[in-house]
Amino acid sequence: MKHLISLNDCTPQEVENLLTLAARLKRETKAGIPHPILAGKTLGMIFTKSSTRTRVSFEVGMYQLGGHALFLSGNDIQLGRGETIYDTANVLSRYLDGIMIRTFDHQDVLDLAKYGSIPIINGLTDYLHPCQVLADLLTVYEHKGKLKGLKAAYVGDGNNMANSLLYGCVKVGMDIAVAAPQGYQPPDEVVANAKETAKQTGCTVTITDDKWEAVKDADVVITDTWVSMGQEEEKAARLKIFSPYQIDSALLATAKPDAIFLHCLPAYRGYEMTEEVIDGPQSVIFDEAENRLHAQKAVLATLLGGVQV
């Protein structure tokens, strides 16, 4: 691995290695064992799309690994608006050991990787959210003891989370069902890529507009906000379109009795899920949020520190 841009770029073994390393680093952290793998290394963090969890987890992760994180806001750096991405990538490659970028346009991430000479980590784009899905997979493994053979169900907008879940689940051999309204389902290219990988890892991919079909007998039930950053003008229309896709206790009851509920946060109670679901006994959202730290540390240690499992 040179970058983490899409889980579709990773082999199943590379995903497994990241999860194994994340689990090890988490155990060491909990035991008070230091792991200064990135001593003397600096990560540049470019944010043109703000976030609480992404910034804090990457900053803390670099600190725990012995390195330093440098925050660059949209006011500090304007990709492609003023200085070209080509120049930005080349200049930052002379200063930094790696770049994490959280932005709107996925092409920005691809261009940084194309023109720079250091590892690039996709902290989120409108197209993909790979770090979150690594955290999700780690959380599922912790609660289920395995990944292969399980069924994950995602209900809601076929957005960056749905796309990365499709890529991530099939890499580890998990069946994945995505329920989204017509016109809001994942892109054909993502579905095709996921199905191709599923043939190799022995799992299934289901795309439907029926949330009951998707959630039936699922081991993991997942949703995300219906109105992402930058879609505020569409809020009224989106709430009307997605309201039939709310996850409530009746829907969750059709999953397996020991199913867990995931949400990457921020969550809006009464919209994509009810309070009784997200605050109920099957919800593991705060384990999931914590695991952003450990999953991302594994990515950092692998890409910036050359650590191999």
Side-chain angles (χ1 to χ4, degrees):
M1 289 178 61
K2 184 178 180 182
H3 309 289
L4 180 67
I5 296 174
S6 168
L7 292 177
N8 189 52
D9 299 334
C10 302
T11 66
Q13 187 63 55
E14 286 171 336
V15 173
E16 180 181 336
N17 289 349
L18 288 172
L19 295 174
T20 300
L21 179 57
R24 190 194 98 198
L25 293 174
K26 182 175 183 177
R27 287 194 304 271
E28 291 179 0
T29 299
K30 300 288 186 183
I33 300 171
H35 35 242
I37 297 165
L38 299 183
K41 300 286 180 94
T42 300
L43 176 74
M45 305 189 305
I46 299 174
F47 284 85
T48 63
K49 199 172 189 178
S50 61
S51 168
T52 302
R53 277 156 296 279
T54 299
R55 178 176 179 179
V56 174
S57 58
F58 269 105
E59 283 198 17
V60 172
M62 281 298 291
Y63 172 77
Q64 291 182 356
L65 291 169
H68 176 71
L70 179 66
F71 175 76
L72 299 167
S73 73
N75 294 325
D76 298 315
I77 187 168
Q78 296 185 348
L79 290 179
R81 300 184 301 278
E83 187 173 49
T84 65
I85 293 183
Y86 174 84
D87 289 352
T88 299
N90 275 282
V91 169
L92 292 181
S93 292
R94 303 296 180 99
Y95 298 147
L96 303 168
D97 299 287
I99 294 173
M100 185 284 299
I101 177 170
R102 180 181 169 98
T103 189
F104 292 89
D105 190 353
H106 190 71
Q107 190 62 44
D108 289 347
V109 184
L110 296 174
D111 287 345
L112 280 175
K114 179 179 179 180
Y115 298 122
S117 57
I118 55 177
I120 305 299
I121 300 169
N122 179 2
L124 174 141
T125 67
D126 285 347
Y127 188 56
L128 295 171
H129 199 355
C131 290
Q132 179 63 56
V133 170
L134 287 173
D136 291 356
L137 294 174
L138 178 60
T139 306
V140 174
Y141 183 79
E142 288 177 341
H143 284 269
K144 297 296 181 182
K146 65 175 185 176
L147 293 171
K148 188 172 181 61
L150 298 180
K151 177 186 177 182
Y154 174 89
V155 179
D157 189 10
N159 57 13
N160 50 8
M161 272 303 301
N163 294 344
S164 284
L165 281 165
L166 282 164
Y167 285 157
C169 287
V170 297
K171 291 291 180 180
V172 297
M174 287 179 66
D175 296 336
I176 172 77
V178 174
Q182 294 293 334
Y184 292 87
Q185 295 180 345
D188 291 343
E189 63 176 358
V190 172
V191 176
N193 289 337
K195 286 185 174 180
E196 187 61 34
T197 300
K199 293 177 184 177
Q200 303 165 23
T201 57
C203 55
T204 62
V205 173
T206 303
I207 308 297
T208 179
D209 58 6
D210 184 344
K211 68 178 183 179
W212 301 95
E213 175 190 356
V215 174
K216 181 176 173 55
D217 295 327
D219 298 281
V220 187
V221 180
I222 312 162
T223 191
D224 190 15
T225 180
W226 295 336
V227 185
S228 297
M229 194 179 300
Q231 298 174 334
E232 289 80 7
E233 292 183 0
E234 304 173 38
K235 182 175 181 178
R238 281 180 161 267
L239 293 183
K240 184 177 180 180
I241 291 167
F242 288 105
S243 59
Y245 288 83
Q246 183 184 71
I247 297 177
D248 58 17
S249 57
L251 180 63
L252 189 59
T254 68
K256 289 183 179 175
D258 62 348
I260 58 175
F261 174 78
L262 299 178
H263 190 306
C264 65
L265 303 177
Y268 300 94
R269 291 161 173 79
Y271 290 92
E272 61 265 24
M273 79 276 109
T274 60
E275 287 187 12
E276 59 188 350
V277 168
I278 194 170
D279 298 323
Q282 291 171 269
S283 175
V284 295
I285 59 169
F286 298 119
D287 292 345
E288 176 188 11
E290 177 189 348
N291 281 336
R292 280 288 297 276
L293 170 63
H294 307 297
Q296 289 164 186
K297 283 169 66 176
V299 173
L300 291 166
T302 299
L303 294 181
L304 276 64
V307 174
Q308 297 183 359
V309 175

